Each structure stands twice: as structure tokens, then as C-alpha cells.
Amino acid sequence: MPKLHLLALIVWTAMLTASGAVADVQSRADTDTRSTTAPGGAEDATIRRVLTEFRTVRVPLSRAMAIAERLHEGSKTADISFESAGAPVYRVRTIRNEQVWENTVDANSGGIAGKEVASSLRELGREDLANMIALKWIKQELSDAVQVAERAAAGSALAGGLVRQDGRLNFVVVVAAGDDLKEVMLEPPKVAKQGPIHR
């Protein structure tokens, strides 16, 4: 997920009826997130630059996820982020079983840019490892969360992934909506406990 500071405070909830995921849309107040070393004008300029660049790309985030997932049949997107330093690209991490792949998808052509980086779950840090393992057991996928977030925030997603906050696992999707960035938190539906199996 990009570490962008978001501007105004808006909290709203939407329900995905098909999966039961709850979306919480927030644009954070700059007084809560502003760094003491970076002036607010620089933050605003960075956000405007990223939004301007993002609006010109031809490949939406959902397509970039699908492109990366097709590289390894059966893989799921763990996280994705738009980057505009140099040529605009999406950085995508996918997972299948014990393997993790990192790819860069060109945001204009949809082609793979640069070399793929492959690793195993054992090579990940503790937090990443916990999120990747949890992702294997969540029925909802990041692509589902992106669709909900884009509808909830009325915009286009430019980043997404899993985060653990206050002991709860949530999808977080950053959406470009007008001249603002909105952070959408989605709590994956809880898996119902199954009763005993009768044969």
C-alpha cells in the first residue's frame, strides 16, 4: 500500500450483499496524518501529481491484477499499488500455495515491465507472512474488494491489500475519487462455523 496522506474526514458504510463485506470509506484529515517535516503544500502537490498521472493510464487496477494472476495459474493478488515515478506501473504481489511472486505491470500497455521476483512464504517478514496465510483462508478476493471500494467511493482504485488493525484483518483499497484519495476499509465476511458432518 502506498503511504499517501489523505485529506478530509469522510466516513461512510456500504454493504456488498453478495459477500457480506462492509466498506468504510475515509479520507483522513491532514491534521492527523501530516508529517512535521513535510509541509502540507508538498503533500497536496504530490497527491495532485499522482492523480493527474493516474487519470491518463489505460490499464485499470483490476485488469493489472488479472494480468499478474494469469502469469501463475491459480494465484491470487495479495497487494497492488500504482507508482508514477518514471513510467506509470502497478506493482503486484500474487500468491499460490507457498509461492509469492512480485511483478510490475505497465499501466499503459498492460505488459510486464522488469523482472519477476519469486520467493517463498518462509522468506517473508512476520506481518506479511500472517497476511498471506490469512489471504489463503478468506473467501473474498482483493478483486472483489476493489469492485466494492470503487462503487462505495465512486472512483477508480489505485492500490489495495490486506492489513491487520486492532487485531482484525481488513482489505484496504485506495480510490481516486475526483480530486481526492479515499481509503476504503473492507472487512471480509466471516466464515460461518460448520456443524458436525452426518454420514
Side-chain angles (χ1 to χ4, degrees), residues 134-147:
L135 184 64
K136 293 164 89 173
W137 300 106
I138 295 172
K139 288 187 178 182
Q140 185 183 32
E141 295 189 16
L142 182 57
S143 57
D144 300 323
V146 165
Q147 288 179 10

Side-chain angles (χ1 to χ4, degrees), residues 83-100:
E83 295 182 9
S84 64
V89 296
Y90 294 100
R91 301 243 180 239
V92 190
R93 268 198 311 179
T94 55
I95 181 173
R96 184 186 68 212
N97 299 327
E98 302 298 311
Q99 273 308 117
V100 179

Side-chain angles (χ1 to χ4, degrees), residues 2-4 43 45-57 80-91 104-108 158-159 181:
K3 304 285 188 214
L4 294 174
E43 278 181 23
T46 300
I47 290 171
R48 278 193 305 274
R49 183 185 55 76
V50 169
L51 287 172
T52 299
E53 186 79 33
F54 182 69
R55 286 187 196 107
T56 66
V57 300
I80 183 169
S81 62
F82 174 76
E83 295 182 9
S84 64
V89 296
Y90 294 100
R91 301 243 180 239
T104 305
V105 177
D106 187 296
N108 284 310
L158 58 98
L181 291 175

